[in-house]
Amino acid sequence: MGFSNDIIFQGVIDYLMDEMDYLDITVNLWIKCMTLYELDGGKVTLLCDNDFKRNLFMSKYIRDVTKAFMVELDRKDIDITVITKPELEERQKKAKEKEEKERKEAELAAKRREELPMVNPAYTFENFVVGSSNRVAYETSLLVCRNPAEYYNPLFLYGPSGLGKTHLLFAIINEILDKRPDFNVVYITCEEFTNLLIDSISKKTDPTEFRSKFRNLDFLLVDDIQFLKGKRAVQEEMFHTFEALFNKGKQIVFASDKHPSEIEDIDKRLSSRFSAGGLIDIEPPDTELRQAIFKRKADSYGVEIPNDVLLFLAENIKTNIRQIEGAIKTLKAHSLIGGEEISFAMAKRVLSEYLKKAEADNINSEKILKYISMRCGVKKEDITGAKRDAAIKNARHICAYLMRDMLNMTFKEIGTILRRHHSTIMDSCERIENQIKTSETFRREMEEIKRELEA
Ligand code: ADP
Ligand code: MG
């Protein structure tokens, strides 16, 4: 409505009377009883009392009034809609109800957020960079978030520390808080669960309160479940909590640094439940994914990092994504304080402390030899010696492969250390690569060895 709409509509009426010879009586009866309710470009909405008046207007006057609007507004795309007062009231009522509903939802969401202070709102699905090593984890998390208790229950996410498990749990929660604020979602770490249980057993708090909190909810996420190791009473409680929720058709998500079978000293019933829904792993990211994560993190910190620096970082920071954030922050701080632009040379210098100096001191061929000899239970001298026992040969193959893979050494260089012809080294590397391709257990073992070496 409003003042300018009135003026425009008056202009339309004047046009009808002056240029189209409308009579006073017609205008008074059929046109002036309307108001120009809304004007949006060429979209005109007129308001009238009732259906009868609208029908008459539509059959007799719409063409002329459209023409008058075209002249008055000086545009050709006039499209008139007429609404009646009862329709408007209905519309307003609906808008109000919607607003009210949204307000209530926002209030509820805010309250829920307050109950989940640890959940970082920035850890969303959008902010999670997806690559081949974490795609399945990402997709299943999204799936259980959108279809609770339908596909994977429980969902058990596992993988080494710092690869985004907690991020995915928070992403699930953030999406639920956004889209389903009526949903009672609870996040807890295994340690907090333990503490609360101890409090309730030692009667510091009401024990029924503990149970009712964990058994009357819609969606439970338990982080760092590997800490259940050895805690029988906690395991027992977790098991019953799980059963209660599962039987009510509620979704449960666990995250763990370890595969269920690797969590020692744990109730068989519980670990079989862990594996019964969806057992999904996250693997260390490849260079490409690390680079993408670096890029994303840099963007989110408002830091511009040239591509060669991104690649340098991705090649040097390998195991843990948490370090990626640290590296970006370090770079940002240095460029802010020193006023120096982030360049390859600058990054190299600043991060030399920060980085795992792989080639320099941390991992070298000697370290690989020592570690593998220990792990395979063969003497170091035998690996570089002439013996041809199966165990020794195997250790030799692994060493060759690791030197190639982790240190980027040439076959020749490796040959010098292991005292073999370079074609033999090539054979060894190929052998291990094939084994990695054909055996999942072997592949995991190799990954573990690399992590240990990098630690
Ligand atoms: P975890 O729980 O597996 O130990 P976190 O979820 O705490 O690891 O992740 C560590 C850090 O790395 C967090 O800051 C997280 O946002 C970040 N991170 C991990 N994976 C990704 C990813 N794919 N994309 C973006 N950030 C990630
Ligand atoms: Mg975590």
Side-chain angles (χ1 to χ4, degrees):
M1 268 170 271
F3 182 61
S4 66
N5 280 2
D6 288 349
I7 293 178
I8 292 168
F9 199 49
Q10 187 57 50
V12 168
I13 290 169
D14 291 345
Y15 183 85
L16 291 174
M17 295 178 75
D18 301 344
E19 307 294 325
M20 301 179 105
D21 300 328
Y22 267 53
L23 299 174
D24 268 356
I25 178 162
T26 313
V27 165
N28 283 336
L29 251 178
W30 303 114
I31 312 293
K32 276 196 178 161
C33 62
M34 305 181 111
T35 47
L36 173 52
Y37 177 70
E38 210 170 53
L39 186 61
D40 174 16
K43 281 188 72 177
V44 175
T45 308
L46 298 176
L47 180 64
C48 80
D49 290 338
N50 53 43
D51 255 346
F52 171 73
K53 288 191 179 171
R54 169 166 58 193
N55 290 342
L56 196 118
F57 174 85
M58 293 308 270
S59 62
K60 288 186 100 165
Y61 305 117
I62 180 103
R63 234 195 280 128
D64 292 345
V65 172
T66 302
K67 170 99 202 307
F69 266 107
M70 285 177 180
V71 175
E72 185 65 19
L73 296 175
D74 193 20
R75 57 193 301 159
K76 288 215 146 62
D77 59 342
I78 297 298
D79 177 19
I80 297 181
T81 314
V82 183
I83 56 166
T84 62
K85 283 190 177 150
E87 278 171 1
L88 179 65
E89 274 158 26
E90 184 63 19
R91 215 200 257 186
Q92 283 168 336
K93 201 173 124 214
K94 282 221 176 95
K96 213 165 166 198
E97 278 167 5
K98 189 165 164 249
E99 207 176 278
E100 182 68 5
K101 187 165 162 260
E102 281 171 359
R103 199 182 52 76
K104 281 214 177 109
E105 279 181 359
E107 235 171 50
L108 195 56
K111 188 168 150 272
R112 291 241 183 271
R113 257 200 201 286
E114 254 171 51
E115 289 163 4
L116 295 161
M118 69 303 271
V119 175
N120 186 339
Y123 286 6
T124 58
F125 283 115
E126 291 94 74
N127 289 343
F128 191 82
V129 187
V130 183
S132 58
S133 53
N134 62 18
R135 173 160 290 116
V136 179
Y138 169 85
E139 278 168 2
T140 39
S141 299
L142 203 56
L143 191 73
V144 301
C145 172
R146 298 194 175 157
N147 312 275
E150 268 185 53
Y151 295 98
Y152 296 98
N153 206 11
L155 170 62
F156 191 99
L157 291 175
Y158 71 98
S161 172
L163 297 189
K165 298 181 297 296
T166 300
H167 187 133
L168 284 175
L169 300 193
F170 286 179
I172 292 174
I173 297 168
N174 282 319
E175 173 146 339
I176 292 177
L177 287 177
D178 256 12
K179 305 232 163 92
R180 295 290 311 269
D182 57 313
F183 237 54
N184 184 7
V185 47
V186 171
Y187 168 89
I188 190 141
T189 63
C190 188
E191 277 176 308
E192 274 173 77
F193 186 84
T194 306
N195 292 339
L196 289 179
L197 181 65
I198 292 171
D199 283 355
S200 95
I201 292 171
S202 63
K203 304 227 162 42
K204 270 200 219 154
T205 56
D206 180 2
T208 54
E209 204 178 289
F210 179 86
R211 295 233 158 116
S212 80
K213 176 176 164 76
F214 288 103
R215 296 189 191 176
N216 295 305
L217 45 78
D218 297 308
F219 204 122
L220 176 66
L221 302 103
V222 189
D223 208 348
D224 292 320
I225 200 82
Q226 74 274 4
F227 289 120
L228 272 185
K229 171 184 163 188
K231 299 175 183 143
R232 289 290 166 156
V234 189
Q235 292 171 16
E236 176 86 19
E237 188 63 33
M238 185 63 80
F239 176 75
H240 292 297
T241 303
F242 174 82
E243 292 286 287
L245 292 174
F246 185 84
N247 290 330
K248 282 193 213 163
K250 305 299 183 186
Q251 177 73 47
I252 304 110
V253 180
F254 295 109
S256 166
D257 281 3
K258 295 202 163 123
H259 185 279
S261 69
E262 288 167 357
I263 306 175
E264 297 150 35
D265 200 0
I266 192 159
D267 186 344
K268 285 272 162 331
R269 289 179 308 172
L270 192 53
S271 74
S272 78
R273 293 298 188 279
F274 287 160
S275 315
L279 200 54
I280 309 285
D281 70 338
I282 302 191
E283 292 178 21
D286 57 18
T287 313
E288 202 183 324
L289 178 58
R290 290 199 300 274
Q291 217 177 328
I293 294 173
F294 265 114
K295 177 96 183 67
R296 183 79 68 90
K297 297 275 171 196
D299 288 348
S300 77
Y301 285 105
V303 191
E304 218 170 289
I305 298 186
N307 279 336
D308 59 338
V309 177
L310 283 179
L311 186 63
F312 166 73
L313 294 172
E315 276 173 349
N316 285 281
I317 297 185
K318 287 197 173 154
T319 40
N320 189 325
I321 296 170
R322 209 166 278 130
Q323 293 173 321
I324 291 183
E325 289 196 303
I328 301 276
K329 283 187 200 155
T330 310
L331 278 180
K332 182 178 180 180
H334 273 262
S335 87
L336 279 180
I337 295 164
E340 190 182 355
E341 243 177 71
I342 298 173
S343 67
F344 186 76
M346 183 259 205
K348 207 167 170 175
R349 180 163 43 75
V350 170
L351 294 176
S352 61
E353 294 255 314
Y354 195 88
L355 296 175
K356 292 208 162 354
K357 292 160 271 170
E359 338 75 86
D361 44 43
N362 246 335
I363 308 170
N364 53 35
S365 54
E366 182 59 26
K367 188 168 170 188
I368 291 179
L369 266 175
K370 250 199 211 147
Y371 180 80
I372 296 300
S373 95
M374 180 194 74
R375 190 168 170 123
C376 300
V378 301
K379 283 202 202 117
K380 220 176 76 188
E381 302 78 72
D382 286 342
I383 298 180
T384 55
K387 285 195 186 159
R388 301 181 52 83
D389 308 23
I392 294 171
K393 267 169 47 185
N394 187 44
R396 200 176 285 145
H397 296 322
I398 294 176
C399 283
Y401 168 80
L402 291 173
M403 288 178 195
R404 177 92 184 148
D405 187 69
M406 298 183 80
L407 308 177
N408 283 322
M409 290 169 70
T410 63
F411 294 126
K412 235 185 168 155
E413 285 165 343
I414 301 171
T416 315
I417 291 171
L418 297 180
R419 310 214 189 136
R420 293 287 180 293
H421 188 258
H422 65 82
S423 63
T424 311
I425 300 295
M426 218 160 84
D427 264 4
S428 297
C429 291
E430 232 169 70
R431 220 177 258 268
I432 299 294
E433 273 158 24
N434 283 335
Q435 243 173 300
I436 287 175
K437 270 189 217 128
T438 50
S439 156
E440 177 62 15
T441 326
F442 186 78
R443 190 186 65 79
R444 279 188 196 286
E445 193 181 343
M446 284 316 225
E447 290 297 322
E448 190 189 312
I449 290 175
K450 282 192 222 167
R451 276 201 298 281
E452 300 258 301
L453 278 166
E454 276 170 347

